Amino acid sequence: MIFKKSGLLVLIFSVIAFVGAHAQQEDAAVVERRIEGLLEQMTLAEKAGQLTQFSDVGDVTGPASADASVQKKRELVKSGLVGSMLNVVGTENVRALQKIAVEESRLGIPAVFAFDVIHGHKTMFPIPLAEAASWDLDLIEQSARVAAVEASAQGLNWTFAPMVDISRDPRWGRVMEGAGEDPFLGAEIAIARVRGFQGDDLAAEDTIAATLKHFAAYGFAESGKDYNAADIGTVTLFNVVAPPFKAAIERAGALTVMNSFNTLNGIPATGDAYLQRDVLKGDWEFEGVVISDWGSGIEMIDHGFAADARDAARLAMNAGSDVDMESHVYAEYLPSLVESGEVALGDVDDAVRRVLRMKFKLGLFDDPYRYLDAARENASLMTPEHRVMARQMAEASIVLLKNEGGALPLGKGERIALIGALAADKDTPLGNWRGRAEAGSAISVKEAFAAAGVDFSYVEGAPVENGEASFPTEVQVNLTDRSGFDAAVAAARAADKVVLVLGEDAYQSGEGRSRANIGLPGVQDDLLKAVYAANPNVALVVMSGRPLVLTWADAHVPAIVQAWHLGHESGPAITDMLLGKVNPSGKLPMTFPRSEGQIPIYYNYLNTGRPGPRPEVFWSHYTDEENAPLYPFGHGLSYTAFEYGRLRVRDVDGGVEVSVRVQNSGGREGREVVQLYIRDRVASISRPVRELKGFEKISLKPGQRKTVRFKLTEEQLGFYDGRGAFRLEPGAYDVFVGGSSAAGLTASFELKSGR
Ligand code: NOJ
């Protein structure tokens, strides 16, 4: 009976699925017919218009164009010469322009409205690198979901996120915007973020299109200097840079991809046909829109790749860059380039189809005003629920780097000296890309200490910078003002313990914010030393958008907390963690170097032929620095302890299963990120000493244990060769399991056959 019933159910579901799929195909066919109908009516100028994206005037996120005026932009929209806009935010502003596009342009094609919604829109969540430190994919997806709800309520349909650039260089300021150094973790996080933004239905009024950026290798900017050339081999391209892009396209249906400012092996990404046509649209069958980065088309002139603006348009279109953001070259030159035969009409039509398809998917052809509900706008921004989620995310993102002798949590009744400008800073925790957050609206540590009833006194010690910092301007770091040191030293002396909050201003990381020296900026290092000399019971809380060099601190202060830029709920999250109400569970998504000279430093490096150590000098090392980082990838402590044991490996259908028993051997409940690494011992291409291939964040009560099982699929055991072809080679593999990339528990297995 049960069997019959379930058989019937299976039949019913199959019929529904079949009918559903059929209806979808029908819909897709109707959309394609409508697109062809529009294409037939469009002039070449209107086609170029669909491929043109303009920024709003004033609130720009790149170098402002000289000819920008509100009036001119309205005229262009009216003439059908602008397909999408960025930086126009709010239902009223969007409606004004959408009305012109739909009601005053000849074909009435709706515009798409884009914005950099990077780590929250109105409610700020932790910067993406911090969120990555949570290794909590559900929370990360939820964070992107909240951002989409708020952004879409403000009339937006498209975010330029997630940035999925892998980077091994903390000097590069944009590491704050990514998920760190690892392609496996990066891919899983990219998928979570895209799902959060796009949801199941892009036409729903609370979802927005995601953009994977920057294609490709922007995170490999030489010497960590933003916009710099990237020179990497194709093995690194396919095994390290590509995985998050590929995974988020294949497994999450990311709708758009942004190319990048940099040259890759000598060719500017925007003009790179191999990257965009052969790999992205060819091998990966990406059907969405490829957009340039801000002005990256016209910048090919400075790269010495395009002769002039017309040439830049030709090169970008021929290379498969569909939409021109703020270069203004497509609108100007595409029509004549098609007429002269330098650009194929078929390529332009293909790009326009992609853009129109996106507009259909977003539901804008059904109702161009669907995202423009003022009541929803008022009700959706910074709701109490969003704040709760921002708090959870912030708590999960904190990494306890060091905790000697149980220095943390702070004890009851201890008198605390809270020192550091960042402890009272209500702006820095909002991070670099703060959407529509109000400046200075985060809760500071100082405020949260007061609210929690901590017995403390606050002194600034030293300002981080002189004057106000902002998105487009340089931060003027305080290099001289030590006038507050004496008060800080006196407060430290009078206290049982010191909580010293030091680090970077929000605008010291992010776009155009490379740093050659990544220690504590300005006089803060001296402040740390002066305070420590007065009272060594220091808990150092580091706010930063990148790994900093904390070597002196690590050698001296008993406790170090990596608190990034955690968003609106920064203060309460840090305070609860310091007080022990929250047990830290974050793990580093990027290696922390001992000194800048070690950079690039990453855990998944290739062994040399002389790994050493050896008694003579003939091995791969520095004479004046250790090889090991200060804190390895995956590192992060808890107020409890976890023990790993019973590592087992067995063959299962379609791969290998690795299981491990983890026990909470400490005195309180905690969360642990169980990490699985492999090493392919011998292959046709030298493989990394370790590669992350699985992780699970588990929660255990004191004494509780759990067996965690990972399946290593063929996909995970193989790699890509220099031509981008997948290889699975038989042979011996080592596995390592533990709470960081330095995991000590190991086993091995043999893969009998490859493919
Ligand atoms: C330049 C940045 O590189 C890119 O990530 C961003 O989306 C655009 N500006 C638009 O603001």
Side-chain angles (χ1 to χ4, degrees):
M1 188 62 190
I2 289 172
F3 175 74
K4 269 193 187 154
K5 236 188 189 166
S6 63
L8 186 64
L9 278 180
V10 169
L11 184 69
I12 292 170
F13 284 132
S14 308
V15 171
I16 292 172
F18 174 77
V19 172
H22 187 69
Q24 259 175 15
Q25 274 171 14
E26 282 266 279
D27 285 356
V30 171
V31 165
E32 291 307 311
R33 276 201 296 279
R34 286 183 68 185
I35 289 174
E36 294 311 312
L38 280 166
L39 269 176
E40 274 165 27
Q41 298 174 60
M42 289 166 90
T43 63
L44 266 177
E46 284 165 336
K47 288 180 182 175
Q50 283 306 306
L51 307 180
T52 295
Q53 180 170 101
F54 271 2
S55 173
D56 195 12
V57 183
D59 207 359
V60 292
T61 48
S65 50
D67 61 347
S69 80
V70 179
Q71 197 43 41
K72 181 168 176 199
K73 291 198 169 163
R74 285 176 178 234
E75 289 301 321
L76 291 170
V77 176
K78 189 171 169 178
S79 316
L81 299 181
V82 183
S84 53
M85 305 242 2
L86 84 145
N87 294 330
V88 179
V89 184
T91 53
E92 208 181 309
N93 297 333
V94 171
R95 183 179 289 276
L97 284 157
Q98 190 68 298
K99 217 165 150 23
I100 300 175
V102 175
E103 294 171 28
E104 297 182 40
S105 76
R106 192 175 74 88
L107 295 173
I109 298 175
V112 186
F113 292 85
F115 193 53
D116 291 284
V117 182
I118 308 293
H119 55 105
H121 179 68
K122 189 80 182 169
T123 312
M124 293 325 288
F125 281 66
I127 56 169
L129 186 64
E131 290 194 350
S134 74
W135 298 54
D136 189 327
L137 300 175
D138 291 340
L139 282 184
I140 292 172
E141 179 172 340
Q142 191 173 285
S143 159
R145 183 89 287 281
V146 169
V149 166
E150 294 191 350
S152 60
Q154 290 225 281
L156 298 163
N157 334 106
W158 186 4
T159 175
F160 297 136
M163 185 187 100
V164 301
D165 295 311
I166 298 298
S167 181
R168 297 165 164 176
D169 195 331
R171 292 171 301 180
W172 188 53
R174 292 198 84 168
V175 297
M176 58 78 55
E177 202 180 332
E181 75 189 38
D182 184 66
F184 182 84
L185 179 63
E188 296 303 315
I189 290 177
I191 290 167
R193 290 195 165 128
V194 171
R195 289 194 179 135
F197 288 130
Q198 297 195 166
D200 298 331
D201 175 15
L202 269 165
E205 60 173 21
D206 63 354
T207 55
I208 56 180
T211 304
L212 306 172
K213 67 189 191 183
H214 305 83
F215 197 65
Y218 182 43
F220 279 74
E222 268 180 8
S223 57
K225 199 160 48 144
D226 208 1
Y227 317 125
N228 209 359
D231 237 290
I232 58 166
T234 44
V235 171
T236 303
L237 178 66
F238 289 115
N239 290 287
V240 180
V241 171
F245 288 96
K246 193 165 183 282
I249 291 167
E250 287 173 359
R251 288 165 55 198
L255 198 62
T256 77
V257 169
M258 185 185 290
N259 58 39
S260 55
F261 290 124
N262 56 288
T263 54
L264 174 58
N265 304 333
I267 300 183
T270 310
D272 195 332
Y274 171 68
L275 278 181
Q276 296 170 113
R277 289 215 183 273
D278 298 351
V279 176
L280 181 61
K281 292 178 176 176
D283 296 345
W284 299 354
E285 298 174 358
F286 175 65
E287 290 177 349
V289 172
V290 179
I291 181 165
S292 81
D293 202 342
W294 181 296
S296 64
I298 195 91
E299 289 176 11
M300 290 196 288
I301 300 174
D302 282 311
H303 280 298
F305 189 73
D308 51 31
R310 185 171 195 277
D311 203 28
R314 177 184 71 82
L315 287 162
M317 177 48 66
N318 287 345
S321 180
D322 299 319
V323 174
D324 164 6
M325 181 203 295
E326 275 290 322
S327 275
H328 305 201
V329 293
Y330 278 4
E332 185 97 24
Y333 300 108
L334 272 189
S336 72
L337 283 165
V338 171
E339 275 152 15
S340 68
E342 288 163 275
V343 161
L345 178 61
D347 285 346
V348 173
D349 284 350
D350 174 64
V352 175
R353 277 189 197 102
R354 288 168 185 263
V355 170
L356 295 179
R357 227 172 263 141
M358 174 180 184
K359 295 182 178 187
F360 273 104
K361 285 206 163 115
L362 287 165
L364 291 167
F365 275 101
D366 291 340
D367 176 8
Y369 304 113
R370 75 182 327 149
Y371 296 89
L372 304 176
D373 174 349
R376 189 166 86 87
E377 182 175 21
N378 287 332
S380 307
L381 303 178
M382 188 89 97
T383 64
E385 293 77 32
H386 294 176
R387 288 297 286 247
V388 168
M389 292 175 196
R391 172 84 163 260
Q392 283 172 355
M393 189 76 250
E395 289 171 357
S397 304
I398 297 171
V399 185
L400 180 58
L401 295 175
K402 181 182 178 193
N403 193 19
E404 215 169 63
L408 287 176
L410 301 173
K412 283 210 172 67
E414 283 177 333
R415 167 115 194 109
I416 307 297
L418 179 65
I419 302 174
L422 291 175
D425 193 329
K426 291 174 62 58
D427 194 66
T428 280
L430 299 175
N432 178 286
W433 287 106
R434 68 246 320 257
R436 276 289 175 265
E438 231 169 83
S441 57
I443 305 175
S444 70
V445 175
K446 184 180 164 214
E447 288 171 325
F449 264 35
V454 179
D455 179 11
F456 78 106
S457 61
Y458 170 72
V459 273
E460 183 188 60
V464 176
E465 75 262 320
N466 306 316
E468 291 277 294
S470 74
F471 188 76
T473 58
E474 296 289 350
V475 175
Q476 303 301 324
V477 179
N478 167 30
L479 302 170
T480 52
D481 183 0
R482 293 179 169 78
S483 58
F485 276 30
D486 287 350
V489 165
R493 277 210 187 100
D496 299 319
K497 270 190 188 157
V498 180
V499 172
L500 195 49
V501 186
L502 304 178
E504 299 183 315
D505 178 88
Y507 295 115
Q508 279 186 284
S509 56
E511 187 178 346
R513 314 284 180 177
S514 296
R515 294 179 62 204
N517 305 299
I518 55 168
L520 293 165
V523 302
Q524 293 182 92
D525 216 22
D526 292 346
L527 177 64
L528 167 65
K529 288 172 184 163
V531 167
Y532 174 79
N535 183 347
N537 293 322
V538 172
L540 173 64
V541 176
V542 181
M543 288 187 181
S544 67
R546 54 156 69 79
L548 297 182
V549 168
L550 301 171
T551 310
W552 189 90
D554 179 73
H556 295 83
V557 307
I560 306 179
V561 176
Q562 179 60 34
W564 317 104
H565 295 141
L566 289 178
H568 270 117
E569 294 289 330
S570 166
I574 294 169
T575 302
D576 280 0
M577 182 263 155
L578 293 173
L579 294 175
K581 292 184 196 158
V582 166
N583 193 353
S585 63
K587 300 277 186 175
L588 294 179
M590 245 186 127
T591 304
F592 273 46
R594 288 178 186 278
S595 59
E596 288 86 352
Q598 292 181 311
I599 299 170
I601 184 166
Y602 47 99
Y603 84 94
N604 48 355
Y605 58 89
L606 301 184
N607 220 13
T608 66
R610 296 183 173 189
R614 298 171 70 103
E616 335 82 63
V617 295
F618 307 115
W619 64 288
S620 185
H621 70 298
Y622 300 104
T623 54
D624 57 355
E625 182 58 275
E626 289 181 38
N627 276 0
L630 187 62
Y631 304 117
F633 173 84
H635 168 76
L637 305 173
S638 163
Y639 290 147
T640 189
F642 299 100
E643 264 173 27
Y644 286 74
R646 287 211 196 173
L647 179 61
R648 306 265 190 274
V649 182
R650 66 180 184 113
D651 287 341
V652 290
D653 202 22
V656 171
E657 185 191 81
V658 178
S659 61
V660 67
R661 198 172 73 181
V662 188
Q663 176 162 10
N664 182 343
S665 55
R668 51 176 297 172
E669 187 168 358
R671 298 184 77 198
E672 168 75 332
V673 182
V674 182
Q675 302 163 42
L676 166 71
Y677 297 85
I678 64 163
R679 177 174 186 177
D680 180 353
R681 273 197 227 153
V682 181
S684 55
I685 294 171
S686 182
R687 305 298 305 136
V689 294
R690 287 187 183 198
E691 293 177 272
L692 181 72
K693 291 294 174 182
F695 64 89
E696 192 178 326
K697 194 162 187 174
I698 58 169
S699 185
L700 292 176
K701 295 199 167 49
Q704 195 186 351
R705 52 188 188 213
K706 186 176 174 188
T707 298
V708 178
R709 289 174 209 284
F710 298 103
K711 182 164 176 198
L712 284 167
T713 61
E714 294 189 342
E715 173 84 30
Q716 284 160 305
L717 294 172
F719 58 87
Y720 291 88
D721 68 14
R723 291 199 187 88
F726 183 75
R727 301 178 74 103
L728 180 71
E729 298 178 346
Y733 288 77
D734 297 319
V735 300
F736 311 85
V737 180
S740 87
S741 61
L745 198 58
T746 177
S748 56
F749 66 90
E750 191 85 15
L751 187 70
K752 305 269 167 10
S753 57
R755 71 173 153 93

